Amino acid sequence: MSTMRAVQVVGYHQNLEMRDLPVPEATGPWDVVVRIGGAGVCRTDLHILEGQWAEKSQVQLPYTIGHENAGWVHSVGSAVTHVREGDKVIVHPLITCGLCRACRSGDDVHCESSQFPGIDTDGGYAEYLKTSARSVVRLDDSLEPADVAALADAGLTAYHAAAKAARRLTPRDRCVVIGAGGLGHIGIQVLKALSPAELIVVDRNPEALELALSIGADHGVVAEGKQVAEVLDLTGGFGAEVV
Ligand SMILES: [Zn+2]
Ligand SMILES: [Zn+2]
């Protein structure tokens, strides 16, 4: 059996530990083992270490943390046909069944028998990660796993909010985005792609606003006390339609 290095939660309020573990194998027909090319670090990882997820996830320690993963397909189960060894993939954070009522309604996130690698089962702070066929999405050749791994969660979270806002926005509307940080800078790009509205970004950090303007924001407002008046100014005194 070959081994790999993996970073594990060994106890709450304790440092993570690097350990040698067996490389996971594609034992089930829909299993996909991914050689990790990038694993994002999420604030949730800190919450896990503080024990905030212990009761909800019921995870048994030690286990491997990391839920924002991308890499190359290493091996696949007998039923997997849409990816093969060597394909670049990004990994949707949830493993879902595809057969329950929620999955069949397109509401996979409420799957009755889901697993969440990095949260309730072994995740991607490791050389290899076991996931399932439904969870791997092929990447365009121009993308590298390490560059996009964080989109697997930070990207999904920002997309969820931005797509919801975009459904209400028309070309005459103004949308205020508060914060152009880790999630916000992704949300701005999603809004720009999905919505014709004018984007006003508010942040305390002028450098974050510069980035925002370079990736699609129409206006940047530094939040240093007069931001409400500035947004009113930019919207003819009416305020934004969506915040
Ligand atoms: Zn996360
Ligand atoms: Zn399901």
Side-chain angles (χ1 to χ4, degrees):
M1 195 189 324
S2 47
T3 60
M4 65 171 184
R5 287 170 304 158
V7 174
Q8 293 210 303
V9 180
V10 295
Y12 298 116
H13 306 283
Q14 280 186 48
N15 287 339
L16 295 166
E17 274 184 24
M18 177 90 82
R19 293 190 163 178
D20 286 320
L21 294 174
V23 172
E25 287 173 19
T27 46
W30 299 105
D31 286 349
V32 175
V33 176
V34 174
R35 178 162 66 85
I36 293 295
V41 177
C42 180
R43 183 164 286 268
T44 299
D45 296 332
L46 298 178
H47 296 161
I48 288 170
L49 281 179
E50 289 164 357
Q52 291 183 28
W53 281 73
E55 200 177 319
K56 186 167 183 237
S57 76
Q58 295 288 320
V59 70
Q60 300 296 308
L61 303 188
Y63 86 106
T64 306
I65 194 169
H67 59 271
E68 303 183 348
N69 305 303
W72 298 268
V73 173
H74 173 66
S75 61
V76 298
S78 58
V80 178
T81 54
H82 72 311
V83 291
R84 55 184 173 179
E85 197 185 326
D87 282 352
K88 273 190 233 177
V89 290
I90 187 163
V91 182
H92 188 281
L94 264 194
I95 296 174
T96 51
C97 76
L99 299 170
C100 71
R101 180 175 170 147
C103 281
R104 286 185 190 276
S105 313
D107 186 23
D108 306 37
V109 77
H110 292 116
C111 174
E112 288 166 19
S113 51
S114 65
Q115 284 183 297
F116 201 155
I119 304 284
D120 60 21
T121 183
D122 285 335
Y125 283 17
E127 291 176 84
Y128 297 89
L129 164 80
K130 181 153 132 178
T131 181
S132 77
R134 284 171 63 79
S135 308
V136 290
V137 178
R138 271 195 66 180
L139 287 173
D140 188 89
D141 281 341
S142 65
L143 299 172
E144 289 308 317
D147 295 336
V148 299
L151 296 181
D153 186 42
L156 286 190
T157 306
Y159 186 94
H160 185 73
K164 205 165 153 187
R167 287 197 285 275
R168 302 174 56 120
L169 290 165
T170 69
R172 67 185 172 185
D173 293 331
R174 279 73 48 103
C175 175
V176 167
V177 176
I178 299 175
L183 266 66
H185 88 286
I186 300 172
I188 290 162
Q189 294 169 78
V190 175
L191 277 169
K192 203 64 199 173
L194 297 184
S195 145
E198 208 172 310
L199 290 185
I200 302 167
V201 178
V202 181
D203 198 294
R204 291 164 63 174
N205 178 356
E207 281 173 33
L209 289 176
E210 259 174 55
L211 173 70
L213 290 168
S214 74
I215 56 178
D218 297 296
H219 307 279
V221 173
V222 185
E224 49 189 2
K226 297 193 203 115
Q227 61 273 16
V228 173
E230 279 187 55
V231 170
L232 283 172
D233 251 8
L234 287 168
T235 54
F238 291 104
E241 278 70 26
V242 171
V243 178

